[in-house]
Amino acid sequence: MYSTAPRIDDAPLAAPFQPDPAFRADVLQGLAQPQKAIPARWFYDMRGSQLFEAITQVPEYYPTRTETALLQAHCGAVAERVGADATVVEFGSGSSIKTRILLKSLPRATYVPIDICGEFLDEACAALQGLFPALRIVPVEANFMDPVHLPLRAEAAGGAMLGFFPGSTIGNLTPEAAVDLLRSMRETLGENAHLLIGIDRVKEPQRLISAYDDAQGVTALFNLNLLQRINRELGGTIPIGEFRHVARWNPAASRIEMHLEARRAIRFEVGGEAFHMEAGETIHTENCHKYHPGEMRVLLRAGGWSELEHWTDARGDFSLVLAKAGSAGREP
């Protein structure tokens, strides 16, 4: 049942490697800024995707465990809302681990995973097909930040469209960018679609910092892998050993920030352009915004969605929200 359409990266192995022009542009532009910054989406090459899956297993990283428990408790209610034959469209599917919980409640579903890393997408789909032999899987390699053409959109007219966006990935975006993404998701899924989304809540800063700077150093490896990717794909000469991973809580913006901090003054090249950094200067690589429940509802409404159900754990660490496009949801 699982198949993929030919992709550009399926070219013969003998062809010379061509770096992603968008990656090159983002890196060169970001390194030229007074506060150097690189968009977090470029974390996810094959190695980066593997390291992120490892992060979800470290003891300090509570979001995955908490959201998984919420899915196990409430996916039955989701299925009652959308129907067992829904088309599940996952934005940034990764390993699709949490998706398995949802699909068990939707025995006649069609699954459309969208991910920017085609190699990782293929591996995840093959693993999922082994667990659900009858499941129709239609992978789409794309940047889900923009509206995506879904090959099954017309075929799904008789059943519900259910967007799935777990992991609190929405928190990686500024509130303005998050609203843009929610609007884009609505355009991708259609006017009568549902969206099941995970959103992390505000809590004690030290718990948040620990979750993004684990004792095993897995998150540090994940962050530093971005520099390795730049060196490998863009001909960079970045001295990776001269950088350290830093996680900070920014109370004014209600977010965790991840940075790569230079241990000393350094010079390097990327894509034929020269850069320098002073000791203590950083490359800002990721934001992880945290929300209160009322803020979540405002965010969803601004993006064209209305809350239908809102579930959380006993500790109030994390929220799982089911919303509908253009519907009248709960009041704050």
Side-chain angles (χ1 to χ4, degrees), residues 25-236:
D26 279 351
V27 170
L28 293 181
Q29 181 181 13
L31 292 177
Q33 302 304 311
Q35 169 58 74
K36 293 174 172 54
I38 299 172
R41 68 189 179 107
W42 299 114
F43 278 134
Y44 298 97
D45 62 351
M46 185 63 174
R47 178 61 175 158
S49 297
Q50 292 170 337
L51 284 168
F52 180 75
E53 293 304 319
I55 288 171
T56 67
Q57 304 302 312
V58 302
E60 299 93 331
Y61 195 78
Y62 63 86
T64 299
R65 295 189 302 274
T66 308
E67 186 179 34
T68 297
L70 289 170
L71 287 166
Q72 291 169 336
H74 301 293
C75 274
V78 174
E80 290 179 6
R81 284 274 192 174
V82 303
D85 59 347
T87 295
V88 177
V89 179
E90 185 169 4
F91 297 90
S93 54
S95 64
S96 302
I97 296 294
K98 295 171 187 172
T99 318
R100 301 171 189 180
I101 302 169
L102 180 59
L103 291 175
K104 287 179 181 178
S105 298
L106 301 168
R108 298 191 301 279
T110 297
Y111 179 51
V112 183
I114 303 172
D115 202 274
I116 197 170
C117 180
E119 185 180 2
F120 197 67
L121 179 65
D122 288 349
E123 287 192 4
C125 286
L128 194 64
Q129 193 75 83
L131 294 173
F132 298 90
L135 177 67
R136 186 177 187 189
I137 305 177
V138 184
V140 176
E141 184 181 351
N143 175 15
F144 65 79
M145 297 299 297
D146 301 317
V148 178
H149 171 71
L150 299 180
L152 293 186
R153 176 77 172 270
E155 297 177 32
M161 298 291 290
L162 174 62
F164 188 39
F165 198 42
S168 195
T169 307
I170 195 76
N172 294 147
L173 308 174
T174 65
E176 296 79 10
V179 168
D180 288 342
L181 175 58
L182 289 166
R183 291 174 178 169
S184 176
M185 288 175 168
R186 179 170 172 171
E187 182 176 343
T188 295
L189 296 169
E191 290 300 313
N192 296 313
H194 290 77
L195 176 67
L196 184 62
I197 182 171
I199 306 178
D200 200 8
R201 293 190 176 200
V202 176
K203 56 186 65 65
E204 299 88 347
Q206 191 51 55
R207 284 191 66 207
L208 290 168
I209 292 172
S210 295
Y212 292 87
D213 191 11
D214 61 280
Q216 298 178 45
V218 180
T219 310
L221 291 175
F222 174 72
N223 204 4
L224 289 163
N225 181 68
L226 179 59
L227 300 182
Q228 293 175 325
R229 182 179 185 184
I230 291 171
N231 282 354
R232 183 176 66 253
E233 297 185 18
L234 302 180

Side-chain angles (χ1 to χ4, degrees), residues 263-286:
R263 300 175 186 271
R264 61 174 179 84
I266 54 173
R267 296 182 180 276
F268 57 89
E269 292 187 1
V270 176
E273 297 191 20
F275 299 94
H276 74 275
M277 295 178 65
E278 299 298 330
E281 189 177 354
T282 70
I283 303 172
H284 189 174
T285 55
E286 187 173 44

